[in-house]
């Protein structure tokens, strides 16, 4: 059974099919040329006469031209296939080469498209496992920050208050300064824990989580955020909500870290056919090279079947849009 399958695959291999096509084309051209010379009144003398040279030259030119046209037509799909190979990127799916009606090369094109489908499916599965592990590690670190470091700092803060109340007057001011430093450290630990594990997303939902994220971003960076979040959003699964939150988080981080923006707009609106998350700023733009953050956003978008577009002309700010199609965002 296996041997028969291999034989069938070999018989349909593109190399053999292409060889047979080229052999047939060249055979046809030379057969026609031979028949023309045999049936026409033209003859070739020995030695060759000068009057016969134009006849031979024209015949050779016609055969070469016919051969070139037929080969060019037959091999044209290979140029398109080569171009696709050069530009293909698994982070930008759905780039496929349609069958051009050339049955000899359609099998090669279909095989290449099937290979891209398998590679994108494998990459999507690998990215899903990696992101799931990343989220699990973030939750673990956030829990340790809150339960261990946060509680330890709280105990230190209470002990400092107790000591400051009993300390001499000349030491109280210094102890109060230490208290404020510990309190600031405790707040920073809490902010890091919230960024790692958005508890408000699990407890209060996406709307409240995006509002809290924008408020924390404005407080930490000093950049005001204009929010426009629809209140009548469709029911979303946990995975979709987490992807929307993480992409909004990364978009705001990029606006503060790279864009040097003075104003940011964040919106999540229901559109015909799906949802649209948009993060735009008035920064310097020109974000051409995609770093780890941008590739992470694209990987998350692929996990839920969404489409991510980034427009960043030099000096024109950056506009990040995530479009989630209808049906993907429904909770199970």
């Amino acid at each position: 059974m296996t041997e028969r399958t291999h034989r069938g695959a070999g018989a349909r291999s593109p190399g053999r099919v292409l060889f047979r096509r080229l052999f047939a084309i060249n055979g046809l051209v030379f057969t026609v040329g031979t028949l023309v010379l045999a049936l026409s009144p033209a003859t070739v003398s020995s030695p060759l006469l000068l009057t016969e040279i134009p006849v031979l030259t024209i015949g050779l030119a016609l055969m070469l031209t016919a051969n070139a046209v037929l080969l060019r037509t037959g091999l044209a799909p290979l140029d398109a296939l080569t171009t696709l190979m050069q530009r293909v990127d698994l982070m930008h799916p759905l780039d496929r080469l349609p069958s051009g009606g050339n049955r000899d090369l359609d099998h090669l094109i279909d095989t290449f498209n099937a290979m891209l489908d398998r590679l994108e499916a494998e990459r999507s599965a690998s990215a899903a496992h990696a992101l799931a592990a990343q989220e699990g590690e973030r939750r673990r670190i956030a829990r340790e920050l809150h339960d261990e470091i946060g509680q330890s700092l709280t105990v230190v803060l209470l002990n400092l208050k107790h000591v400051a109340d009993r300390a001499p007057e000349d030491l109280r001011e210094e102890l109060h300064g230490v208290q404020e430093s510990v309190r600031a450290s405790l707040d920073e630990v809490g902010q890091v824990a919230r960024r790692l594990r958005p508890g408000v997303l699990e407890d209060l939902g996406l709307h409240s989580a995006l509002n809290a994220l924008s408020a924390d971003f404005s407080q930490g960076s000093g950049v005001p955020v204009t929010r426009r979040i629809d209140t009548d959003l469709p029911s979303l699964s946990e995975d979709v909500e987490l992807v929307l939150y993480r992409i909004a988080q990364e978009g705001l981080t990029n606006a503060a870290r790279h864009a040097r923006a003075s104003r940011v707009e964040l919106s999540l609106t229901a559109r015909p056919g799906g949802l649209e998350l948009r993060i735009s700023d008035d920064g310097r733009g020109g974000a051409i090279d995609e770093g780890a953050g941008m590739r992470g956003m694209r990987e998350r978008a692929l996990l839920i079947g969404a489409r991510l577009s980034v427009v960043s002309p030099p000096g024109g700010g950056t506009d990040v849009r995530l479009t989630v199609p209808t049906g993907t965002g429904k909770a199970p």
Side-chain angles (χ1 to χ4, degrees):
M1 182 70 179
T2 304
E3 183 179 357
R4 187 175 301 174
T5 303
H6 285 301
R7 288 179 179 176
R12 296 183 57 198
S13 65
R16 294 188 180 183
V17 171
L18 186 59
F19 168 77
R20 292 173 182 173
R21 178 178 178 82
L22 294 177
F23 184 80
I25 289 175
N26 285 281
L28 177 63
V29 170
F30 290 119
T31 300
V32 172
T34 302
L35 291 175
V36 169
L37 290 176
L39 299 178
S40 67
T43 60
V44 178
S45 302
S46 180
L48 186 66
L49 300 178
L50 294 178
T51 56
E52 295 173 344
I53 293 178
V55 176
L56 294 177
T57 304
I58 294 174
L60 179 61
L62 290 175
M63 286 191 295
L64 291 177
T65 301
N67 193 35
V69 171
L70 292 174
L71 289 177
R72 184 62 179 170
T73 303
L75 299 179
L78 291 181
D79 293 336
L81 186 60
T82 301
T83 302
L84 177 60
M85 290 178 180
Q86 293 173 344
R87 73 167 185 266
V88 69
D89 185 357
L90 296 182
M91 298 302 297
H92 300 78
L94 303 180
D95 195 0
R96 299 291 185 271
L97 183 66
S99 299
N102 188 333
R103 59 182 180 179
D104 297 321
L105 294 179
D106 281 350
H107 179 63
L108 176 62
I109 294 173
D110 293 340
T111 302
F112 182 76
N113 289 336
M115 181 194 69
L116 290 182
D117 292 337
R118 292 195 306 271
L119 290 176
E120 288 178 3
E122 292 173 2
R123 181 181 179 86
S124 180
S126 299
H129 290 305
L131 291 176
Q134 184 184 79
E135 289 297 334
E137 186 68 11
R138 284 182 172 184
R139 283 192 292 268
R140 184 187 66 80
I141 296 175
R143 185 168 55 251
E144 292 181 357
L145 286 175
H146 180 271
D147 295 343
E148 297 181 12
I149 298 178
Q151 291 183 6
S152 298
L153 288 176
T154 301
V155 172
V156 172
L157 190 62
L158 294 175
N159 290 335
L160 282 173
K161 183 179 183 305
H162 181 68
V163 172
D165 293 340
R166 301 173 55 186
E169 189 67 27
D170 56 341
L171 293 178
R172 288 184 182 179
E173 185 174 352
E174 294 183 12
L175 290 173
H176 286 314
V178 175
Q179 278 183 281
E180 292 303 319
S181 298
V182 174
R183 184 176 289 108
S185 298
L186 184 60
D187 292 340
E188 291 178 0
V189 169
Q191 291 178 3
V192 172
R194 285 194 297 273
R195 286 196 296 268
L196 289 173
R197 180 177 179 270
V200 65
L201 178 62
E202 300 176 359
D203 299 335
L204 301 178
L206 182 62
H207 189 281
S208 299
L210 292 178
N211 284 327
L213 177 64
S214 302
D216 290 342
F217 170 80
S218 297
Q219 182 179 2
S221 65
V223 179
V225 178
T226 302
R227 300 186 296 272
R228 186 164 62 89
I229 304 173
D230 287 354
T231 57
D232 56 345
L233 295 174
S235 179
L236 304 174
S237 67
E238 293 182 0
D239 291 339
V240 173
E241 287 189 346
L242 184 59
V243 167
L244 290 170
Y245 181 86
R246 290 301 187 198
I247 290 181
Q249 187 180 42
E250 183 65 30
L252 292 176
T253 301
N254 290 338
R257 183 180 302 169
H258 305 296
R260 300 177 184 175
S262 61
R263 179 179 53 83
V264 180
E265 295 182 2
L266 172 66
S267 65
L268 179 61
T269 55
R271 302 286 186 183
L275 299 174
E276 182 184 78
L277 173 68
R278 182 182 180 188
I279 307 100
S280 59
D281 61 63
D282 61 349
R284 58 182 180 176
I288 300 176
D289 297 332
E290 294 190 358
M294 188 65 67
R295 294 189 69 85
M297 293 167 66
R298 293 196 183 279
E299 288 180 348
R300 291 183 183 276
L302 291 176
L303 291 180
I304 60 173
R307 181 171 56 88
L308 181 72
S309 64
V310 180
V311 179
S312 184
T318 301
D319 185 78
V320 179
R321 300 194 185 196
L322 178 73
T323 304
V324 183
T326 301
T328 305
K330 292 181 179 181

